[in-house]
Amino acid sequence: MKYICKLGDAATLRTACLVVGVHKSNQLTTLGLALDEALGGQIGRVLKHRDFNAEAGQTQMLYDPTGCSAARLLLVGLGDRKVFNAAAYGKAMKAAFAALNGSGAADCIALLPNGADDDLTYRLVRAAVEAAEAATYRFDRCKSQPTENKRPLKKVTFIAQSRKQVNAGERAAAHAQAIGNGSRLAKDLANLPGNLCTPTYLAEQAQQLARGNRKLKTTILSEAQMQRLGMGSLLSVSRGSRQPAKLIIMEYNGGKTGSKPVALVGKGLTFDAGGISIKPAANMDEMKYDMCGGASVFGTIAACAELELPINVVGVVPSSENLPDGDANKPGDIVTSMSGQTIEILNTDAEGRLILCDALTYTERFEPAAVIDIATLTGACIVALGDQASGLLANDDKLATEVLDAGQACGDRAWQLPLWDEYQGHLDSNFADMANIGSGRGGGTITAACFLSRFTKAFKWAHLDIAGTAWMTGKDKGATGRPVPLLTEFLLRRCKLTD
Ligand code: BES
Ligand code: MN
Ligand code: ZN
């Protein structure tokens, strides 16, 4: 999709569709009013019928409006003007783009709603472009006959009210396009089933990403190399699988040589059956999504490269399957991690932390300025926060605030849970340095983070539990691409390219 932001007279511009936002009680925006005047009050007359009441996300298509050069006119409800913000605009435009994408209109011109300041304009365009990318996403790689969209939407133009707004809008569109492409990559990898998306496949995709880009370098560690590094915890998980584990390292060098990188460490379980502590059958297919943390690292690195961000970023993705097998981990087994700490595996289904702990220890060698790990780590996080907020736990309050603020700004939000020392005792083991699960029933997301915190003492670290936010279940089953927007926003802010 192509995005443009410019000044112009909506009535005279040639397009397949004009997209006009309307607030509740049928209030047009400044640009909408000007257009309606040129159309001789046509929009106002339609609104008088009250069939359309400008509920956020409501759409109404009108054909062959007279007095302008557009073939269609799409009214989009923006909801209540008093509570209008970028999130509301994103929701409204997602509905608009969904309606347009099936209509036969290959391009559209959207009148930006009244955004007096450039910051709001930036956020509105960011939200709209990310909505367009989401609304036009399809995953049909595995269908023998993909449903063809003969006239997909290809170009979106935003009309702004001032030169300054145009600049803010152009910057927003470039950022959002890269985030959209990164999210698309994350979704594609995540939606691909476990028989096709294996650790080896992910490793190949990482190498593919680096091909032809001088700022990107991919390194893949084999099981033998991980063995030599002493990654006994990670390798114990893949021992129960016929697919060899891979440690995928993607280095994006956009910053000054020698400037400390931000490290992103993503859980890459291409399928989690639970191992010997096997999961129930219902919805087990969704455990192909247990690599969504890793996929978000791919997507974010791709966005960094597309935007040529002036920062160094290292992506580390430990990738494995977790299956039951004669050679798989057994409850009670004790393994030695790369850090030297020993772990009693009381539940083989708590495997994410077992592969992440060695990847986190490995990350120390990059002397990172900050480390964020991203993992579909605990079902408990879904119980606590549902499908809207990712769980955030951190050993550094400033970093935690930075991540929370980034999420809030771009609408890919996280919510902090405590990482208090008092929880650490839940991991006591009679036989090893620690157990891989907490004793007692409560606080599963916290005890999982407590486990990881024992491997992150060398750096500032934040942990994102995305078990509830990485994919949707039910009839809209599919990856969300989260938290690519949050992570990219975090990096854009570190580069002072937005605030
Ligand atoms: N990948 C799962 C967590 C998960 C479950 C994410 C369902 C999203 C939906 C993880 O490996 C796991 O199995 N965690 C266990 C931990 C428990 C054994 C302490 C869980 O949450 O049940
Ligand atoms: Mn598991
Ligand atoms: Zn898992």
Side-chain angles (χ1 to χ4, degrees):
M1 189 94 70
K2 197 171 157 45
Y3 301 97
I4 295 167
C5 191
K6 64 180 191 185
L7 297 170
D9 175 11
T12 58
L13 293 169
R14 201 161 278 288
T15 176
C17 188
L18 276 172
V19 181
V20 181
V22 186
H23 284 289
K24 263 268 193 47
S25 329
N26 291 344
Q27 298 170 355
L28 287 168
T29 62
T30 305
L31 290 175
L33 281 170
L35 175 68
D36 196 27
E37 203 163 307
L39 301 188
Q42 230 174 119
I43 302 176
R45 284 195 295 280
V46 171
L47 293 177
K48 272 216 181 93
H49 286 291
R50 300 246 159 218
D51 294 16
F52 177 85
N53 54 27
E55 233 32 282
Q58 198 189 2
T59 60
Q60 175 75 54
M61 187 76 91
L62 311 174
Y63 294 94
D64 296 322
T66 49
C68 66
S69 315
R72 305 170 183 75
L73 198 152
L74 182 66
L75 298 178
V76 189
L78 301 178
D80 197 333
R81 180 175 242 158
K82 287 195 285 298
V83 296
F84 181 70
N85 58 15
Y89 192 52
K91 186 178 164 195
M93 292 305 279
K94 194 166 173 187
F97 291 129
L100 276 172
N101 199 35
S103 75
D107 89 293
C108 72
I109 293 181
L111 309 186
L112 279 172
N114 304 350
D117 62 281
D118 328 331
D119 280 355
L120 182 59
T121 304
Y122 174 85
R123 287 296 161 195
L124 292 177
V125 175
R126 270 277 300 263
V129 171
E130 286 174 45
E133 294 290 313
T136 53
Y137 177 79
R138 297 281 177 282
F139 183 78
D140 46 21
R141 251 185 78 175
C142 297
K143 304 241 193 213
S144 62
Q145 260 137 6
T147 39
E148 210 189 328
N149 186 348
K150 287 199 186 70
R151 305 259 312 272
L153 188 62
K154 284 199 187 119
K155 184 174 134 195
V156 179
T157 305
F158 296 97
I159 301 293
Q161 282 168 268
S162 70
R163 221 343 92 208
K164 278 183 83 183
Q165 278 189 3
V166 169
N167 293 340
E170 292 265 84
R171 189 164 52 90
H175 293 175
Q177 170 100 71
I179 290 169
N181 288 338
S183 300
R184 182 185 309 272
L185 172 61
K187 288 182 197 178
D188 280 346
L189 292 173
N191 285 329
L192 203 62
N195 61 327
L196 303 175
C197 181
T198 59
T200 302
Y201 177 85
L202 280 183
E204 283 165 8
Q205 293 307 300
Q207 273 160 337
Q208 183 66 34
L209 199 59
R211 219 155 277 155
N213 189 322
R214 281 187 303 109
K215 289 185 179 159
L216 269 178
K217 185 181 135 201
T218 292
T219 312
I220 308 294
L221 297 193
S222 66
E223 289 194 341
Q225 287 167 302
M226 289 190 263
Q227 189 75 52
R228 270 177 249 131
L229 288 165
M231 296 188 170
S233 183
L234 190 162
L235 290 170
S236 77
V237 176
S238 68
R239 231 184 30 241
S241 149
R242 300 189 186 185
Q243 295 291 338
K246 303 284 175 188
L247 187 69
I248 302 165
I249 301 123
M250 292 169 279
E251 291 170 80
Y252 169 72
N253 289 309
K256 295 199 184 75
T257 13
S259 88
K260 292 186 169 177
V262 169
L264 304 175
V265 181
K267 173 177 174 182
L269 254 294
T270 57
F271 193 77
D272 176 15
I276 298 299
S277 313
I278 197 163
K279 287 182 181 295
N283 302 324
M284 208 210 265
D285 64 291
E286 293 184 11
M287 281 299 112
K288 72 176 181 180
Y289 289 123
D290 213 15
M291 36 61 73
C292 281
S296 76
V297 174
F298 277 73
T300 305
I301 294 273
C304 289
E306 180 173 340
L307 292 170
E308 300 187 58
L309 292 189
I311 191 171
N312 295 331
V313 184
V314 186
V316 179
V317 179
S319 185
S320 169
E321 292 183 324
N322 185 27
L323 294 171
D325 169 270
D327 207 21
N329 275 327
K330 301 172 289 298
D333 283 2
I334 294 176
V335 298
T336 303
S337 67
M338 183 180 173
S339 72
Q341 300 177 92
T342 60
I343 303 160
E344 183 183 17
I345 301 172
L346 290 178
N347 189 318
T348 67
D349 198 9
E351 84 299 335
R353 60 199 83 179
L354 294 177
I355 69 165
L356 283 169
C357 69
D358 281 340
L360 286 164
T361 301
Y362 181 82
T363 302
E364 283 179 23
R365 69 186 52 211
F366 299 107
E367 296 178 34
V371 179
I372 304 176
D373 84 75
I374 312 99
T376 47
L377 204 61
T378 64
C381 194
I382 311 176
V383 176
L385 299 174
D387 60 1
Q388 292 301 313
S390 300
L392 170 74
L393 300 100
N395 68 6
D396 182 274
D397 284 338
K398 249 187 89 195
L399 179 61
T401 307
E402 211 181 329
V403 174
L404 289 172
D405 288 351
Q408 180 69 39
C410 70
D412 181 4
R413 291 177 292 181
W415 195 259
Q416 194 171 8
L417 298 171
L419 189 66
W420 296 331
D421 272 346
E422 284 76 359
Y423 290 104
Q424 291 283 352
H426 289 271
L427 295 172
D428 287 350
S429 157
N430 285 350
F431 307 108
D433 296 346
M434 71 193 86
N436 79 326
I437 56 168
S439 57
R441 278 167 21 90
T445 304
I446 298 171
T447 49
C450 283
F451 180 95
L452 296 177
S453 76
R454 297 171 180 221
F455 301 85
T456 60
K457 295 208 187 320
F459 39 68
K460 292 177 184 164
W461 161 73
H463 160 64
L464 283 169
D465 193 327
I466 58 166
T469 55
W471 76 91
M472 292 179 296
T473 60
K475 82 169 184 11
D476 292 325
K477 190 186 287 184
T480 61
R482 288 179 69 181
V484 171
L486 182 158
L487 295 171
T488 311
E489 177 79 29
F490 173 89
L491 295 168
L492 281 168
R493 286 164 164 245
R494 283 230 156 178
C495 296
K496 309 241 177 300
L497 288 169
T498 184
D499 48 21

